[in-house]
Amino acid sequence: MFPFPRKRIRKEDGAPIEPVAPPPILFPDICIFLVERKMGAARRGFLTSLAQKKGFSVAQDYSGEVTHVVSEQNTFTDVLSWIEKKTGKPVQSAEDQESPQILDISWFTESMSSGKPVPVEARHRLGVLGSPVSKDKDALSTVAPYACQRQTPLIHHNSKITDALEILGKAASFQGSEVRSLAFARAASVLKSLPCKLQSIEEAKNLVWCGGHCQTVIQVIVKWDSVPVQQLFVGPHCYIASKLLTSIFGVGVRTAERWYNDGVRKLSDLADLHIKLTAEQKAGIEHYTDLKQPVTRDEAERVESLITRALDRFVPGLRITMTGGFRRGKQQGHDVDFLITHPDEEALNGLLEKSVNWMDSQGLLLYHHTKARSHVQTRRRSTHMDGHETCYAIFALPNHDSLKAESGDFTSSGACRWRAVRVDLVVAPYEEYPYALLGWTGSKVGDAELCSQENGRQMATELHVGEATGPVSACRL
């Protein structure tokens, strides 16, 4: 047996290793400083290396030689404050030139793509040194790209523009263009989050999701203020008819389009043209006057009390949460949604069917349709949000509290006046509850109204991500 040869140890050369020459500087008049705040050291290092390979001079520390300060996801005042904190002195422009220029990362990426510095435009600037800075206007340049990163108040500064965009979004949906509808909804969501009122189209040019047709709408509203946008951009007769038809319980965009093509323009046309209706649509038309009226928070809370008492008759200790717009802080909505769960999953079996049948026997339900839980996974791009057991109902809400505290009976002596209210009941297994809560809190396309700080903490705890430090926006993922 032959022994393995011993590994030879390579002797080190005595010759020193020559340092690699840095890439030549092709643009000596430009010196870039990358702000590390929110960018991070690793990304800053990568971008520095990239710029140097392209022939740009990049300063590791801020100095008077810097001509272009590049920042990512910061405001003008954020950049100035951060540099002042690092250097101990404020940023000032040179006497003979307007430098340094405080720029967004977009100028840097465009320059890297072109292989040379592109001209600085207004959309690249975060601000101008020496000019008065408004914190509200400054914030326009750094709107977060995702709705769940933005805080959107219920009462905002650009309602005329967002109302117009939402009208156009609905009109696009009526025409079967979901892409355009989504684009208008996203633009409206961004404008709702702004801390100030838009004064010119220039202020909207850098806003995420606010390009193309949306900019035209913004320009018209800003310039003319009271233009009837639905008449300028939408066929008014088609829009009005489609809006009327889709407001019927059980009627979607496709059905409304088919009815419109059949000649339906108003509710009475359905009977005149002998349109065949489903049970859901018949109930929607029968109670149309009530259902088109907004549901107030007081009415939603009364529905919650009745639902809670009904469900507790069968399974005590349920967790029943009012979701939808009311959970986001709205004072009125078009329906009331409830999410139901229990730590013992067996307790949920048959709960919805038994409680719905009992409420129906008490005269509380004017219409109901229950959908069983689906265990089949839908495609990722499916329009179905989940496969939970759900009941879509029209609830007969008494105009006064007819509950008997002693027995919990819903019936009352004599005739009782009531109004019809749309109610959705959703049963979710306990382990799926946090995710269902996030989804059913909404809102659609992330156009989320501001949750209260208390709700933000509660949601964060339920999702096991720790306590939220401030108000949060919920978005459907």
Side-chain angles (χ1 to χ4, degrees):
M1 183 175 182
F2 297 97
F4 290 103
R6 294 180 63 184
K7 184 176 181 180
R8 293 184 180 181
I9 300 175
R10 185 177 179 180
K11 293 183 179 180
E12 295 290 340
D13 259 344
I17 300 175
E18 294 183 3
V20 179
I25 296 176
L26 303 179
F27 315 104
D29 295 336
I30 291 179
C31 181
I32 299 174
F33 176 71
L34 296 169
V35 177
E36 189 173 320
R37 183 179 188 270
K38 290 190 177 181
M39 182 181 292
R43 177 164 169 77
R44 183 174 185 254
F46 168 77
L47 296 179
T48 298
S49 176
L50 175 64
Q52 290 174 340
K53 290 179 181 179
K54 297 281 187 177
F56 289 83
S57 174
V58 182
Q60 292 299 318
D61 300 307
Y62 181 79
S63 67
E65 297 179 357
V66 173
T67 59
H68 294 66
V69 176
V70 174
S71 171
E72 189 171 31
Q73 295 185 7
N74 289 295
T75 65
F76 181 66
T77 51
D78 287 339
V79 173
L80 298 185
S81 300
W82 187 83
I83 294 177
E84 182 176 354
K85 183 179 179 181
K86 291 291 183 180
T87 62
K89 52 186 179 181
V91 179
Q92 296 180 346
S93 58
E95 295 181 359
D96 59 340
Q97 58 183 357
E98 294 182 359
S99 64
Q101 301 189 72
I102 314 298
L103 307 175
D104 178 67
I105 191 70
S106 59
W107 175 85
F108 181 89
T109 55
E110 289 174 21
S111 297
M112 295 304 107
S113 178
S114 300
K116 61 182 180 180
V118 299
V120 175
E121 300 178 11
R123 59 189 179 86
H124 296 135
R125 296 180 185 272
L126 295 183
V128 179
L129 291 174
S131 62
V133 178
S134 167
K135 290 185 178 179
D136 287 344
K137 297 293 182 183
D138 187 21
L140 295 179
S141 61
T142 54
V143 176
Y146 301 108
C148 51
Q149 296 175 317
R150 298 192 295 265
Q151 297 180 0
T152 309
L154 291 172
I155 302 174
H156 56 91
H157 303 279
N158 296 283
S159 58
K160 289 185 178 180
I161 303 176
T162 58
D163 289 348
L165 291 172
E166 287 172 351
I167 288 173
L168 293 172
K170 288 180 181 178
S173 178
F174 296 154
Q175 296 167 2
S177 178
E178 292 300 325
V179 174
R180 290 178 60 241
S181 177
L182 177 61
F184 288 124
R186 280 174 167 168
S189 173
V190 170
L191 295 181
K192 288 179 181 180
S193 71
L194 299 183
C196 58
K197 183 178 179 179
L198 285 179
Q199 301 293 339
S200 68
I201 187 60
E202 295 297 324
E203 295 176 352
K205 283 186 176 179
N206 293 333
L207 293 176
V208 65
W209 305 120
C210 291
H213 195 174
C214 295
Q215 283 199 8
T216 304
V217 177
I218 294 171
Q219 186 174 18
V220 170
I221 299 299
V222 169
K223 184 175 181 179
W224 302 104
D225 192 53
S226 59
V227 173
V229 178
Q230 65 271 27
Q231 294 184 17
L232 289 178
F233 298 95
V234 182
H237 300 296
C238 177
Y239 172 78
I240 292 172
S242 299
K243 184 178 179 181
L244 169 67
L245 297 177
T246 53
S247 66
I248 301 172
F249 180 66
V251 178
V253 173
R254 300 303 178 198
T255 301
E257 181 182 8
R258 187 175 69 252
W259 286 358
Y260 183 85
N261 292 335
D262 290 340
V264 178
R265 300 293 183 270
K266 52 187 182 296
L267 296 184
S268 59
D269 291 340
L270 294 170
D272 296 340
L273 297 173
H274 304 288
I275 300 296
K276 187 176 181 180
L277 304 174
T278 65
E280 186 179 22
Q281 293 162 358
K282 289 177 181 178
I285 294 173
E286 181 181 355
H287 305 290
Y288 179 79
T289 302
D290 273 356
L291 296 181
K292 73 176 182 180
Q293 298 297 325
V295 182
T296 65
R297 178 168 288 276
D298 175 67
E299 290 171 329
E301 290 174 351
R302 287 163 55 201
V303 172
E304 182 178 29
S305 176
L306 294 173
I307 293 293
T308 300
R309 291 200 185 188
L311 294 174
D312 279 347
R313 294 177 67 93
F314 300 96
V315 180
L318 287 166
R319 188 169 190 174
I320 304 171
T321 306
M322 188 189 303
T323 59
F326 289 108
R327 189 169 189 270
R328 300 195 303 269
K330 282 189 171 182
Q331 295 305 307
Q332 62 181 27
H334 67 280
D335 66 354
V336 194
D337 303 321
F338 295 98
L339 187 62
I340 306 158
T341 192
H342 192 278
D344 181 10
E345 190 169 338
E346 293 296 327
L348 299 175
N349 291 336
L351 168 66
L352 196 59
E353 181 182 1
K354 289 183 289 187
S355 56
V356 166
N357 289 338
W358 187 84
M359 287 188 288
D360 191 23
S361 68
Q362 299 296 306
L364 286 172
L365 297 183
L366 303 171
Y367 168 85
H368 64 88
H369 171 68
T370 303
K371 178 177 71 72
R373 174 174 171 80
S374 172
H375 296 279
V376 178
Q377 292 186 351
T378 58
R379 294 181 301 170
R380 186 173 182 178
R381 295 181 65 85
S382 171
T383 56
H384 295 85
M385 201 181 99
D386 52 43
H388 296 138
E389 186 180 12
T390 310
C391 177
Y392 304 99
I394 300 178
F395 199 85
L397 176 65
N399 287 349
H400 61 82
D401 189 5
S402 61
L403 300 179
K404 294 181 179 178
E406 297 81 9
S407 63
D409 187 9
F410 287 94
T411 58
S412 61
S413 57
C416 175
R417 295 180 59 84
W418 48 265
R419 66 153 294 190
V421 175
R422 286 183 52 186
V423 176
D424 294 342
L425 305 176
V426 183
V427 177
Y430 196 71
E431 61 181 8
E432 298 176 14
Y433 172 79
Y435 313 103
L437 180 65
L438 179 61
W440 281 90
T441 296
S443 64
K444 201 172 184 180
V445 197
D447 184 13
E449 287 77 2
L450 184 66
C451 293
S452 67
Q453 185 169 1
E454 179 181 357
N455 279 345
R457 290 198 181 101
Q458 179 185 354
M459 180 179 293
T461 302
E462 290 161 340
L463 291 173
H464 310 292
V465 295
E467 183 177 359
T469 57
V472 298
S473 291
C475 69
R476 185 164 294 173
L477 301 180

